[in-house]
Coordinates of all heavy atoms in Angstrom, one line a residue:
Chain B
D1233 N -0.8 37.0 104.2 CA -1.3 38.1 103.4 C -1.9 37.7 102.1 O -1.7 38.3 101.0 CB -0.2 39.1 103.1 CG 0.4 39.7 104.4 OD1 -0.3 39.8 105.4 OD2 1.6 40.1 104.4
G1234 N -2.7 36.6 102.1 CA -3.4 36.1 100.9 C -2.6 35.3 100.0 O -3.1 34.7 99.0
A1235 N -1.3 35.2 100.2 CA -0.4 34.4 99.3 C 0.1 33.1 100.0 O 0.3 33.1 101.2 CB 0.8 35.3 98.9
P1236 N 0.2 32.1 99.2 CA 0.7 30.8 99.7 C 2.1 30.8 100.1 O 3.0 31.4 99.4 CB 0.4 29.8 98.6 CG 0.5 30.6 97.4 CD 0.1 32.0 97.7
V1237 N 2.5 30.0 101.1 CA 3.9 29.8 101.5 C 4.0 28.3 101.7 O 3.2 27.7 102.4 CB 4.3 30.6 102.8 CG1 5.8 30.2 103.1 CG2 4.1 32.1 102.6
V1238 N 5.0 27.7 101.2 CA 5.2 26.2 101.3 C 6.7 26.0 101.8 O 7.6 26.4 101.1 CB 5.1 25.5 100.0 CG1 5.3 24.0 100.1 CG2 3.7 25.7 99.4
L1239 N 6.8 25.4 103.0 CA 8.1 25.2 103.6 C 8.3 23.7 103.9 O 7.4 23.1 104.4 CB 8.3 26.0 104.9 CG 8.2 27.5 104.7 CD1 8.4 28.2 106.1 CD2 9.3 28.0 103.7
P1240 N 9.5 23.2 103.7 CA 9.7 21.8 104.0 C 10.1 21.7 105.5 O 10.7 22.6 106.1 CB 11.0 21.4 103.2 CG 11.7 22.7 103.0 CD 10.6 23.8 103.0
T1241 N 9.6 20.7 106.2 CA 10.0 20.5 107.6 C 9.7 19.0 108.0 O 9.3 18.3 107.1 CB 9.2 21.5 108.5 OG1 9.6 21.3 109.9 CG2 7.7 21.2 108.5
I1242 N 10.0 18.7 109.2 CA 9.8 17.3 109.6 C 8.5 17.2 110.3 O 8.0 18.1 110.9 CB 11.0 16.7 110.4 CG1 11.1 17.5 111.8 CG2 12.3 16.7 109.7 CD1 11.9 16.7 112.8
F1243 N 8.0 16.0 110.3 CA 6.7 15.7 110.9 C 6.7 14.3 111.6 O 7.6 13.5 111.3 CB 5.5 15.8 109.9 CG 5.4 14.6 109.1 CD1 4.5 13.6 109.4 CD2 6.2 14.4 108.0 CE1 4.4 12.4 108.6 CE2 6.2 13.3 107.2 CZ 5.3 12.3 107.5
A1244 N 5.7 14.1 112.4 CA 5.5 12.7 113.0 C 4.0 12.5 113.0 O 3.2 13.4 113.1 CB 6.1 12.6 114.4
R1245 N 3.6 11.2 112.9 CA 2.2 10.8 113.1 C 2.1 10.1 114.5 O 2.9 9.2 114.8 CB 1.8 9.9 112.0 CG 0.3 9.5 112.2 CD -0.1 8.5 111.1 NE 0.5 7.2 111.3 CZ -0.1 6.2 112.0 NH1 -1.2 6.4 112.7 NH2 0.5 5.0 112.2
V1246 N 1.1 10.5 115.3 CA 0.7 9.8 116.5 C -0.8 9.5 116.4 O -1.6 10.4 116.6 CB 1.0 10.7 117.7 CG1 0.6 9.9 119.0 CG2 2.5 11.0 117.8
G1247 N -1.1 8.3 116.1 CA -2.5 8.0 115.9 C -3.1 8.8 114.7 O -2.5 8.7 113.6
S1248 N -4.1 9.5 114.9 CA -4.7 10.3 113.8 C -4.4 11.7 113.9 O -5.1 12.7 113.7 CB -6.3 10.1 113.8 OG -6.6 8.9 113.2
R1249 N -3.1 12.0 114.4 CA -2.7 13.3 114.6 C -1.3 13.5 114.0 O -0.5 12.6 114.1 CB -2.6 13.5 116.1 CG -2.2 14.8 116.6 CD -2.3 14.9 118.2 NE -3.7 15.1 118.6 CZ -4.1 15.2 119.9 NH1 -3.2 15.1 120.8 NH2 -5.3 15.5 120.2
L1250 N -1.1 14.6 113.3 CA 0.2 15.0 112.9 C 0.9 16.0 113.8 O 0.2 17.0 114.2 CB 0.2 15.5 111.4 CG -0.2 14.6 110.3 CD1 0.0 15.3 109.0 CD2 0.6 13.3 110.3
Y1251 N 2.1 15.9 114.0 CA 2.9 16.9 114.7 C 3.9 17.4 113.6 O 4.7 16.6 113.0 CB 3.6 16.4 115.9 CG 2.7 16.2 117.1 CD1 2.5 14.9 117.5 CD2 2.0 17.2 117.7 CE1 1.6 14.6 118.6 CE2 1.1 16.9 118.7 CZ 0.9 15.6 119.2 OH 0.1 15.4 120.2
V1252 N 4.0 18.7 113.5 CA 4.9 19.3 112.5 C 5.8 20.3 113.2 O 5.4 21.1 114.0 CB 4.1 20.1 111.4 CG1 5.0 20.7 110.4 CG2 3.1 19.1 110.7
H1253 N 7.1 20.1 112.9 CA 8.1 20.9 113.6 C 8.3 22.3 113.1 O 8.3 22.5 111.9 CB 9.4 20.1 113.6 CG 10.5 20.7 114.4 ND1 11.5 21.5 113.8 CD2 10.8 20.6 115.7 CE1 12.3 21.9 114.8 NE2 11.9 21.3 115.9
G1254 N 8.6 23.2 114.0 CA 8.9 24.5 113.6 C 9.8 25.2 114.6 O 10.4 24.5 115.4
S1255 N 9.8 26.5 114.7 CA 10.5 27.2 115.7 C 9.7 28.3 116.2 O 8.9 28.9 115.4 CB 11.8 27.7 115.2 OG 12.3 28.7 116.0
T1256 N 9.8 28.7 117.4 CA 9.0 29.7 118.0 C 9.1 31.1 117.2 O 8.2 31.8 117.2 CB 9.3 30.0 119.5 OG1 10.7 30.1 119.5 CG2 8.8 28.9 120.3
G1257 N 10.2 31.3 116.6 CA 10.4 32.5 115.9 C 9.9 32.5 114.5 O 9.7 33.6 113.9
S1258 N 9.5 31.4 113.9 CA 9.2 31.3 112.5 C 7.7 31.8 112.3 O 6.9 31.7 113.2 CB 9.4 29.9 112.0 OG 8.4 29.0 112.6
R1259 N 7.5 32.2 111.1 CA 6.2 32.8 110.7 C 5.0 31.8 111.0 O 4.1 32.2 111.6 CB 6.2 33.1 109.2 CG 6.5 34.6 108.9 CD 6.5 34.8 107.4 NE 7.6 35.7 107.1 CZ 8.6 35.4 106.4 NH1 8.7 34.1 105.9 NH2 9.6 36.3 106.1
P1260 N 5.1 30.6 110.5 CA 3.9 29.7 110.7 C 3.6 29.5 112.1 O 2.4 29.4 112.5 CB 4.3 28.4 109.9 CG 5.7 28.5 109.7 CD 6.1 29.9 109.7
M1261 N 4.6 29.4 112.9 CA 4.4 29.1 114.3 C 3.8 30.3 115.0 O 2.9 30.1 115.9 CB 5.7 28.7 115.0 CG 6.4 27.5 114.4 SD 5.3 26.0 114.6 CE 5.6 25.1 113.1
R1262 N 4.2 31.5 114.7 CA 3.5 32.6 115.3 C 2.1 32.7 114.9 O 1.2 32.9 115.8 CB 4.2 33.9 114.9 CG 5.6 34.1 115.5 CD 6.1 35.6 115.4 NE 6.1 36.1 114.0 CZ 7.2 36.1 113.2 NH1 8.3 35.7 113.7 NH2 7.1 36.6 112.0
N1263 N 1.8 32.3 113.7 CA 0.4 32.3 113.2 C -0.5 31.3 113.9 O -1.6 31.5 114.1 CB 0.3 32.1 111.7 CG 1.0 33.2 110.9 OD1 1.2 34.3 111.4 ND2 1.2 32.9 109.6
A1264 N 0.2 30.2 114.2 CA -0.6 29.0 114.8 C -0.7 29.1 116.3 O -1.3 28.3 116.9 CB 0.1 27.7 114.4
S1265 N -0.1 30.2 116.9 CA -0.1 30.2 118.3 C -1.4 30.8 118.9 O -1.6 30.7 120.1 CB 1.1 31.0 118.8 OG 1.0 32.3 118.3
G1266 N -2.2 31.4 118.1 CA -3.4 32.0 118.6 C -4.5 31.0 118.8 O -4.4 29.8 118.3
E1267 N -5.6 31.4 119.4 CA -6.7 30.5 119.7 C -7.3 29.8 118.5 O -7.6 28.7 118.5 CB -7.8 31.3 120.4 CG -7.7 31.4 121.9 CD -8.0 30.2 122.6 OE1 -9.1 29.6 122.4 OE2 -7.2 29.7 123.5
Q1268 N -7.4 30.6 117.4 CA -8.1 30.1 116.3 C -7.2 29.2 115.4 O -7.7 28.6 114.4 CB -8.7 31.3 115.4 CG -7.7 32.0 114.6 CD -7.9 33.5 114.6 OE1 -8.4 34.1 115.6 NE2 -7.6 34.2 113.5
G1269 N -5.9 29.2 115.7 CA -5.0 28.4 114.9 C -4.8 28.9 113.5 O -5.1 30.1 113.2
M1270 N -4.2 28.1 112.6 CA -3.8 28.5 111.3 C -4.3 27.5 110.3 O -3.9 26.3 110.4 CB -2.3 28.7 111.3 CG -1.7 28.9 109.9 SD 0.1 29.1 110.0 CE 0.7 27.5 110.6
P1271 N -5.0 27.9 109.2 CA -5.3 26.9 108.2 C -4.0 26.5 107.5 O -3.2 27.3 107.1 CB -6.2 27.7 107.2 CG -6.6 28.9 108.0 CD -5.5 29.2 108.9
V1272 N -3.9 25.2 107.4 CA -2.7 24.6 106.7 C -3.0 23.5 105.8 O -4.1 22.9 105.8 CB -1.7 24.0 107.8 CG1 -1.2 25.1 108.8 CG2 -2.3 22.8 108.5
C1273 N -2.1 23.2 104.9 CA -2.1 22.0 104.1 C -0.8 21.3 104.3 O 0.3 21.9 104.1 CB -2.4 22.3 102.7 SG -2.5 20.9 101.6
V1274 N -0.8 20.0 104.7 CA 0.4 19.3 104.9 C 0.5 18.2 103.9 O -0.4 17.3 103.8 CB 0.5 18.7 106.4 CG1 1.7 17.8 106.5 CG2 0.5 19.8 107.4
T1275 N 1.5 18.2 103.1 CA 1.6 17.2 102.0 C 2.9 16.4 102.1 O 4.0 17.0 102.4 CB 1.6 18.0 100.6 OG1 0.3 18.7 100.6 CG2 1.7 17.1 99.5
V1276 N 2.8 15.1 102.0 CA 3.9 14.2 102.1 C 3.9 13.4 100.7 O 2.9 12.8 100.3 CB 3.7 13.2 103.2 CG1 4.7 12.1 103.2 CG2 3.7 14.0 104.6
T1277 N 5.1 13.4 100.1 CA 5.2 12.8 98.8 C 6.4 11.8 98.8 O 7.5 12.2 99.2 CB 5.5 13.9 97.7 OG1 4.4 14.8 97.8 CG2 5.5 13.2 96.3
Q1278 N 6.2 10.6 98.3 CA 7.3 9.6 98.0 C 7.3 9.3 96.6 O 6.2 8.9 96.0 CB 7.0 8.4 98.9 CG 7.0 8.6 100.4 CD 8.4 8.7 101.0 OE1 9.2 9.7 100.6 NE2 8.8 7.8 101.8
V1279 N 8.4 9.4 95.9 CA 8.5 9.1 94.5 C 9.1 7.6 94.4 O 10.1 7.3 95.0 CB 9.4 10.1 93.8 CG1 9.6 9.6 92.3 CG2 8.8 11.5 93.8
D1280 N 8.4 6.8 93.6 CA 8.8 5.4 93.4 C 9.4 5.1 92.0 O 10.2 4.1 91.9 CB 7.6 4.5 93.7 CG 7.1 4.6 95.1 OD1 8.0 4.7 96.0 OD2 5.9 4.6 95.3
A1281 N 9.1 5.8 91.0 CA 9.6 5.6 89.7 C 9.3 6.7 88.7 O 8.3 7.4 88.9 CB 9.0 4.2 89.1
L1282 N 10.2 6.9 87.8 CA 9.8 7.6 86.6 C 9.2 6.7 85.6 O 9.7 5.6 85.4 CB 11.1 8.3 86.0 CG 11.8 9.3 86.9 CD1 13.1 9.8 86.2 CD2 10.9 10.5 87.1
V1283 N 8.1 7.1 85.0 CA 7.4 6.2 84.0 C 7.6 6.8 82.6 O 7.1 7.9 82.3 CB 5.9 6.2 84.4 CG1 5.2 5.2 83.4 CG2 5.7 5.7 85.9
L1284 N 8.3 6.1 81.8 CA 8.6 6.5 80.5 C 7.8 5.8 79.4 O 7.7 4.6 79.5 CB 10.1 6.3 80.2 CG 11.1 7.3 80.8 CD1 11.1 7.1 82.3 CD2 12.5 7.0 80.2
T1285 N 7.1 6.6 78.6 CA 6.3 6.0 77.6 C 6.7 6.4 76.2 O 7.6 7.2 76.0 CB 4.8 6.4 77.8 OG1 4.8 7.9 77.8 CG2 4.3 5.9 79.1
K1286 N 6.2 5.7 75.2 CA 6.5 6.0 73.8 C 6.1 7.4 73.4 O 6.7 8.0 72.4 CB 6.0 4.9 72.9 CG 6.6 3.6 73.1 CD 5.9 2.5 72.3 CE 6.5 1.1 72.6 NZ 7.7 0.8 71.9
S1287 N 5.1 8.0 74.0 CA 4.6 9.3 73.7 C 5.1 10.2 74.8 O 5.1 9.8 76.0 CB 3.1 9.4 73.6 OG 2.5 9.1 74.8
A1288 N 5.4 11.5 74.5 CA 5.7 12.5 75.5 C 4.5 12.6 76.5 O 4.7 12.7 77.7 CB 6.0 13.8 74.9
F1289 N 3.3 12.6 76.0 CA 2.1 12.9 76.8 C 1.9 11.9 77.9 O 1.5 12.3 79.0 CB 0.9 12.9 75.9 CG -0.4 13.2 76.6 CD1 -0.7 14.5 77.0 CD2 -1.3 12.2 76.8 CE1 -1.9 14.8 77.6 CE2 -2.5 12.5 77.5 CZ -2.8 13.8 77.9
N1290 N 2.2 10.6 77.6 CA 1.9 9.6 78.6 C 2.9 9.4 79.7 O 2.8 8.6 80.6 CB 1.6 8.3 77.9 CG 0.2 8.3 77.2 OD1 -0.7 8.8 77.7 ND2 0.2 7.7 76.0
H1291 N 4.0 10.1 79.6 CA 5.0 10.1 80.7 C 4.4 10.4 82.0 O 3.5 11.2 82.1 CB 6.2 11.0 80.4 CG 7.2 10.5 79.5 ND1 6.9 10.2 78.2 CD2 8.5 10.2 79.7 CE1 8.0 9.8 77.6 NE2 9.0 9.7 78.5
S1292 N 4.9 9.7 83.1 CA 4.2 9.9 84.4 C 5.3 9.6 85.5 O 6.5 9.4 85.2 CB 3.0 9.0 84.5 OG 2.3 9.3 85.7
V1293 N 4.8 9.6 86.7 CA 5.6 9.4 87.9 C 4.9 8.4 88.8 O 3.7 8.6 89.0 CB 6.0 10.7 88.6 CG1 6.7 10.3 89.9 CG2 6.8 11.6 87.7
N1294 N 5.5 7.3 89.2 CA 4.9 6.5 90.2 C 5.2 7.1 91.6 O 6.4 7.5 91.9 CB 5.4 5.1 90.2 CG 4.7 4.3 89.1 OD1 3.7 4.7 88.5 ND2 5.1 3.0 88.9
F1295 N 4.2 7.3 92.4 CA 4.4 8.1 93.6 C 3.3 7.6 94.6 O 2.3 7.0 94.3 CB 4.2 9.6 93.4 CG 2.8 10.0 93.0 CD1 1.9 10.4 93.9 CD2 2.4 9.8 91.7 CE1 0.6 10.8 93.6 CE2 1.0 10.1 91.3 CZ 0.2 10.6 92.3
R1296 N 3.5 8.0 95.9 CA 2.5 7.9 96.9 C 2.5 9.2 97.6 O 3.6 9.7 98.0 CB 2.9 6.8 97.9 CG 2.9 5.4 97.4 CD 3.7 4.4 98.2 NE 5.2 4.7 98.0 CZ 6.1 4.7 99.0 NH1 5.7 4.4 100.3 NH2 7.3 4.9 98.7
S1297 N 1.3 9.9 97.7 CA 1.3 11.2 98.4 C 0.1 11.2 99.3 O -0.9 10.6 99.1 CB 1.3 12.3 97.4 OG 0.1 12.3 96.7
V1298 N 0.2 12.0 100.3 CA -0.9 12.3 101.3 C -1.0 13.8 101.3 O 0.0 14.6 101.5 CB -0.6 11.8 102.7 CG1 -1.6 12.3 103.7 CG2 -0.7 10.2 102.6
V1299 N -2.3 14.3 101.3 CA -2.6 15.7 101.4 C -3.6 15.9 102.5 O -4.7 15.3 102.5 CB -3.1 16.3 100.1 CG1 -3.5 17.8 100.3 CG2 -2.1 16.2 99.0
A1300 N -3.2 16.6 103.6 CA -4.0 16.8 104.7 C -4.4 18.3 104.9 O -3.5 19.1 104.9 CB -3.4 16.3 106.0
H1301 N -5.7 18.6 105.0 CA -6.1 19.9 105.2 C -6.6 20.1 106.6 O -7.2 19.1 107.2 CB -7.3 20.2 104.2 CG -7.0 20.0 102.8 ND1 -6.5 21.0 102.0 CD2 -7.2 19.0 102.0 CE1 -6.4 20.6 100.7 NE2 -6.8 19.3 100.7
G1302 N -6.5 21.3 107.1 CA -7.1 21.5 108.4 C -6.5 22.8 109.1 O -5.9 23.6 108.4

Side-chain angles (χ1 to χ4, degrees):
Chain B
D1233 299 334
V1237 179
V1238 179
L1239 298 180
T1241 184
I1242 64 162
F1243 77 96
R1245 181 182 71 86
V1246 177
S1248 281
R1249 182 174 279 184
L1250 292 187
Y1251 289 113
V1252 180
H1253 184 263
S1255 161
T1256 47
S1258 68
R1259 266 181 219 112
M1261 296 300 144
R1262 288 198 304 260
N1263 295 344
S1265 63
E1267 275 286 308
Q1268 77 220 34
M1270 169 176 69
V1272 298
C1273 180
V1274 176
T1275 299
V1276 171
T1277 305
Q1278 299 281 65
V1279 173
D1280 296 321
L1282 296 173
V1283 181
L1284 284 66
T1285 55
K1286 290 170 186 280
S1287 68
F1289 181 76
N1290 287 321
H1291 277 64
S1292 189
V1293 174
N1294 279 353
F1295 68 96
R1296 293 160 288 142
S1297 67
V1298 168
V1299 177
H1301 304 270

